[in-house]
Amino acid sequence: MQTFTRPELEDFFYAEAELLDNWKLTEWLALFTEDARYEVPSTDLPRDAQASTNLFYIADDAFRLSERVKRLLKKTAHAEYPRPKTRHVVSNVRILASDGDHCQASAVFVTYRSKSGHTDTYIGISDYQLVRTASGLRIRSKRCTLDLDSLRPHGRVSIIL
């Protein structure tokens, strides 16, 4: 049994950010397990809110996440075509718990989205449940909690944080 290390998680999160910034969404999707979850709670919810009882901006299982990626890669995804320039900045990586091949971790993020002469800034914290597999680390769940009072002036989350 190999233990998880902060440098290992940092490298993984940096690679994930690079895939998103280069719009390699299919490769990014491959980082997830078959039972994955990707969530972005609305900004007025407490950090421990559950998607089953609250309205989230995004509450995707693996199938819905794959459909999101397919949609974002199409020219008909008007909000993101032509695709914006993004920069995902990851910091303050912490291992919260680990047990065998499973790990809970968090990382602070700043995501910049620039399109049509306007730049939006999304800030928050990502909570991860990671699994070590024969293929490397995989994301079982990723929850991006925004540290914004509201989505204004952004109005939406149409990119992947």
Side-chain angles (χ1 to χ4, degrees):
M1 176 175 62
Q2 184 181 4
T3 61
F4 293 87
T5 66
R6 188 176 41 78
E8 174 188 28
L9 297 187
E10 287 174 341
D11 286 346
F12 181 76
F13 296 155
Y14 297 159
E16 178 194 15
E18 183 177 23
L19 290 173
L20 290 169
D21 288 338
N22 291 319
W23 213 249
K24 293 184 177 182
L25 301 183
T26 303
E27 293 89 337
W28 173 78
L29 185 61
L31 296 177
F32 285 80
T33 61
E34 292 180 8
D35 61 344
R37 301 264 331 146
Y38 174 71
E39 300 177 337
V40 180
S42 59
T43 55
D44 60 343
L45 293 174
R47 190 151 178 221
D48 61 350
Q50 298 301 309
S52 59
T53 56
N54 293 279
L55 182 61
F56 278 33
Y57 297 125
I58 299 171
D60 289 351
D61 60 14
F63 174 76
R64 288 182 61 157
L65 186 56
S66 69
E67 292 300 306
R68 180 179 303 279
V69 165
K70 288 177 194 173
R71 187 176 67 253
L72 285 171
L73 291 172
K74 291 181 180 179
K75 290 182 180 182
T76 56
H78 300 290
E80 300 307 328
Y81 188 85
R83 76 174 184 85
K85 293 179 181 177
T86 63
R87 186 62 57 205
H88 291 74
V89 181
V90 180
S91 181
N92 300 18
V93 174
R94 298 188 58 219
I95 297 173
L96 303 175
S98 65
D99 182 24
D101 290 334
H102 297 80
C103 176
Q104 291 181 336
S106 67
V108 172
F109 70 86
V110 179
T111 301
Y112 299 98
R113 175 191 177 271
S114 182
K115 184 174 179 185
S116 303
H118 183 75
T119 300
D120 294 318
T121 304
Y122 301 87
I123 60 172
I125 188 165
S126 294
D127 291 300
Y128 289 87
Q129 290 182 18
L130 303 168
V131 179
R132 188 181 306 284
T133 70
S135 303
L137 290 180
R138 293 294 177 262
I139 302 168
R140 177 161 286 147
S141 77
K142 180 178 181 181
R143 180 178 180 149
C144 299
T145 303
L146 292 163
D147 290 330
L148 303 172
D149 292 332
S150 69
L151 279 184
R152 298 282 178 231
H154 310 48
R156 67 181 180 269
V157 180
S158 56
I159 58 167
I160 296 173
L161 301 172

